[in-house]
Amino acid sequence: MRIGVIAIQGDVSEHVEALEAALSHRGKEAEIVTIKQKGIVPCCDALIIPGGESTTLGKLLVREGIADEIKQIKNAGRPIMGTCAGLILLAKEGDEQVKKTHQYLLGLMDTRVNRNAFGRQRDSFEVELDIDFLDSTYNAVFIRAPAIVQSGKDVRTLSRIDDMVVAAEQENVLALAFHPELTADTRVHDYFLAKLF
Ligand code: GLN
């Protein structure tokens, strides 16, 4: 098995470490590859799109020819997880700002996102979150976090804060508004790996 982490920008090494921890927790082995150029995504059995700055990430994914490869592996049914900026990129539709700036979105989930859903006052925060697939709460780190504000019928809500969806999945695509790679709790990466093994 080979798991790719998009490494154009953002918190890449933390995802690699979290994957390693979750793999050893499951007693499984996989090759983890970081991806900066085209040609590698098609060889991956699963893919992570990390947090960062979604405008920059989107531009570079297109420029490097990686965006189309991601769409292809989505259509091939391989698991994809996007965290924070990754959740934004996976969406079909953005907020007014996204539309005005013609920001690139992959459009792999039937979701509409608000890029900075929690506003300036709450730039970064941690919260004990109830997540559908976990049997106890998860300490989630949010950093200038987005949220899903509208979703189609095929999207399953996994967690919410008030009326905002902060974790969701649609078929093989999992999106999280928070940063599961920044805490020692590997249960989210574990859930993602369960789609592979
Ligand atoms: N809100 C940021 C954006 O629009 C994402 C923040 C993050 O990934 N930590 O790109």
Side-chain angles (χ1 to χ4, degrees):
M1 289 288 176
R2 186 180 289 133
I3 304 167
V5 181
I6 298 293
I8 280 177
Q9 194 224 23
D11 38 2
V12 177
S13 59
E14 292 87 347
H15 268 297
V16 172
E17 281 162 29
L19 277 172
E20 280 165 354
L23 280 165
S24 91
H25 185 236
R26 296 186 76 81
K28 300 285 184 191
E29 282 183 23
E31 184 191 352
I32 302 169
V33 289
T34 53
I35 300 167
K36 288 192 170 73
Q37 73 229 28
K38 73 181 283 189
I40 305 168
V41 169
C43 313
C44 291
D45 300 293
L47 184 74
I48 290 182
I49 307 172
E53 213 282 319
S54 59
T55 337
T56 313
L57 258 163
K59 270 189 202 138
L60 295 175
L61 285 176
V62 174
R63 195 186 77 188
E64 299 303 318
I66 299 172
D68 284 340
E69 295 181 339
I70 297 175
K71 290 182 185 175
Q72 282 158 18
I73 70 157
K74 191 271 172 188
N75 291 334
R78 301 190 205 154
I80 299 176
M81 172 164 83
T83 59
C84 204
L87 169 142
I88 300 171
L89 284 163
L90 287 170
K92 195 172 79 176
E93 203 185 327
D95 51 39
E96 291 312 313
Q97 180 72 12
V98 171
K99 285 183 186 151
K100 218 160 51 194
T101 57
H102 303 289
Q103 179 179 340
Y104 179 78
L105 300 176
L106 288 161
L108 301 184
M109 289 183 86
D110 190 6
T111 51
R112 179 186 157 97
V113 294
N114 179 345
R115 259 187 78 182
N116 290 293
F118 297 93
R120 286 221 184 125
Q121 276 85 1
R122 295 180 77 198
D123 232 13
S124 303
F125 59 95
E126 289 181 31
V127 68
E128 289 296 321
L129 211 58
D130 283 313
I131 304 180
D132 190 75
F133 55 82
L134 298 179
D135 46 23
S136 60
T137 59
Y138 185 91
N139 181 250
V141 179
F142 288 78
I143 304 169
R144 291 186 301 282
I148 296 169
V149 290
Q150 208 176 301
S151 42
K153 61 171 174 32
D154 296 330
V155 179
R156 188 160 81 97
T157 294
L158 300 173
S159 185
R160 57 170 80 232
I161 295 179
D162 303 327
D163 56 350
M164 283 180 290
V165 172
V166 293
E169 71 184 342
Q170 181 176 3
E171 297 160 355
N172 50 327
V173 187
L174 172 66
L176 310 159
F178 56 93
H179 289 266
E181 75 286 6
L182 297 184
T183 42
D185 189 340
T186 59
R187 288 180 295 164
V188 170
H189 284 80
D190 217 44
Y191 176 74
F192 180 60
L193 288 180
K195 297 174 185 292
L196 255 190
F197 295 107

